[in-house]
């Protein structure tokens, strides 16, 4: 009679131990299927975004007859003359130099001015601090297209028409809101004790800014610098209204002018367009992780 009483708990224990193993298989299968769906959707989105870029680059290696017969096909014979003609023209390099000057100067001033404004807003309490920060925040909701007519009148009154300065100054103004919003959390996360210890050691406010704030805010500075550079490089509306002299054209405006001039030569237009966007693509691809890391730090701060 003792045997059944001993076997019953053993049977219950074995069944309870095997139950999780039986139920774990469907959970793992579900997770794998959901991961596959996510990866598939991501690949489809990446393909949709890269397809136009690949079409433009490959189209520059084709002839006009090939594009007319089969617009979506691959090059039958790789035609390098389209790219060599564009690279051999002084117009392309002049416009690239204008875009580089405008982007570098805009990025430099946006980073320097934005870093100083963010340092004051994040580290010191003063009257009107909330209003100033709200003003920068409101700048995010005010696109350049809405202000293009007042900007045109202001630039004209300042005598900056047909010059890179007339493009750079408004770009700096419209780049500051994003810079301040991103950098304020970075600088606010610096411990107050660190600043107090630096002041006890005889470090001034400016010294603390150069020796402590800048090294700690490098991820945020790189992020806002890249965003300002890419935004300036791709700017089209502002140069369209400010620049009327072809010698001062930037690459986006020069691409539109080149497409109008060589509207019959589609292959050469595609080659010019691809060469115009390649520098920004390379620059953005090299510092992509810096952008993600900087924005992540800003959100955490």
């Amino acid at each position: 009679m003792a045997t059944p009483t001993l076997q019953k708990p053993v049977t219950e224990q074995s069944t309870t131990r095997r139950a999780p193993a039986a139920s774990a298989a469907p959970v793992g299968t579900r997770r794998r299927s959901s991961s596959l769906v996510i990866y598939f959707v991501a690949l489809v989105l990446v393909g949709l975004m890269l397809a136009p870029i690949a079409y433009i680059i490959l189209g520059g290696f084709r002839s006009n007859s090939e594009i007319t017969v089969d617009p979506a096909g691959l090059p039958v014979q790789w035609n390098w003359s389209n790219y060599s003609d564009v690279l051999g023209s002084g117009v392309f390099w002049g416009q690239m130099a204008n875009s580089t000057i405008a982007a570098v100067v805009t990025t430099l001033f946006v980073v320097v001015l934005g870093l100083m404004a963010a340092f004051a807003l994040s580290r010191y309490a003063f009257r009107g601090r909330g209003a100033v920060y709200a003003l920068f925040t409101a700048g995010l909701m005010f696109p350049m297209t809405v202000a293009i007519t007042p900007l045109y009148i202001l630039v004209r009154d300042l005598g900056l028409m047909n010059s890179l300065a007339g493009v750079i100054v408004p770009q700096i103004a419209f780049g500051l809101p994003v810079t301040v919003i991103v950098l304020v959390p970075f600088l606010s996360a610096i411990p107050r004790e660190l600043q107090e210890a630096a002041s006890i050691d005889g470090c001034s406010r400016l010294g603390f800014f150069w020796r402590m704030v800048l090294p700690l805010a490098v991820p945020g500075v790189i992020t806002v610098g890249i965003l300002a550079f890419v935004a300036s490089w791709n700017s089209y509306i502002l140069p369209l209204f400010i620049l009327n002299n072809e010698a001062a054209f930037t690459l986006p405006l020069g691409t539109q002018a080149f497409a109008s001039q060589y509207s019959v030569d589609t292959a050469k237009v595609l080659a010019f367009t691809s060469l115009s966007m390649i520098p920004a693509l390379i620059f953005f691809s090299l510092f992509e992780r810096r952008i993600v890391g900087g924005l992540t730090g800003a959100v955490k701060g």
Side-chain angles (χ1 to χ4, degrees), residues 178 181-183 185-186 219-224 227 284 288-301:
V178 177
I181 297 302
V182 173
L183 289 181
F186 267 97
V221 171
I222 293 176
T223 298
V224 297
L227 294 177
F284 192 85
E288 177 189 2
R289 294 183 180 179
R290 295 280 188 173
I291 296 177
V292 176
L295 293 178
T296 304
V299 172
K300 289 181 179 179

Side-chain angles (χ1 to χ4, degrees), residues 4-167:
T5 57
L6 291 175
Q7 289 179 351
K8 187 175 181 180
V10 173
T11 306
E12 291 179 355
Q13 187 175 3
S14 60
T15 53
T16 54
R17 286 180 181 177
R18 291 177 183 176
S23 61
V27 174
T29 305
R30 272 191 241 114
R31 288 178 180 175
R32 276 193 210 127
S33 60
S34 62
S35 300
L36 290 175
V37 171
I38 292 173
Y39 285 132
F40 177 75
V41 173
L43 288 175
V44 170
L45 293 176
V46 171
L48 291 175
M49 289 185 288
L50 293 181
I53 300 175
Y55 176 80
I56 294 173
I57 295 175
L58 292 176
F61 291 102
R62 306 177 71 192
S63 61
N64 292 320
S65 59
E66 292 179 4
I67 295 176
T68 304
V69 174
D70 187 10
L74 295 175
V76 178
Q77 292 182 352
W78 293 85
N79 188 4
W80 296 86
S81 61
N82 295 323
Y83 285 96
S84 61
D85 292 343
V86 173
L87 293 174
S89 65
V91 176
F92 174 79
W93 293 109
Q95 293 172 1
M96 177 171 282
N98 293 334
S99 293
T100 303
I101 293 172
V104 170
V105 175
T106 299
T107 302
L108 182 63
F109 276 92
V110 165
V111 170
V112 172
L113 297 177
L115 190 59
M116 291 190 294
F119 179 72
L121 290 172
S122 61
R123 307 301 299 179
Y124 301 104
F126 54 89
R127 184 176 297 177
R129 171 187 171 188
V132 174
Y133 189 75
L135 182 63
F136 281 109
T137 306
L140 297 175
M141 301 178 290
F142 196 70
M144 186 178 293
T145 53
V146 176
I148 194 64
T149 301
L151 278 176
Y152 174 81
I153 298 173
L154 180 62
V155 172
R156 184 193 61 187
D157 294 341
L158 292 175
L160 299 178
M161 291 294 296
N162 293 324
S163 65
L164 292 178
V167 176

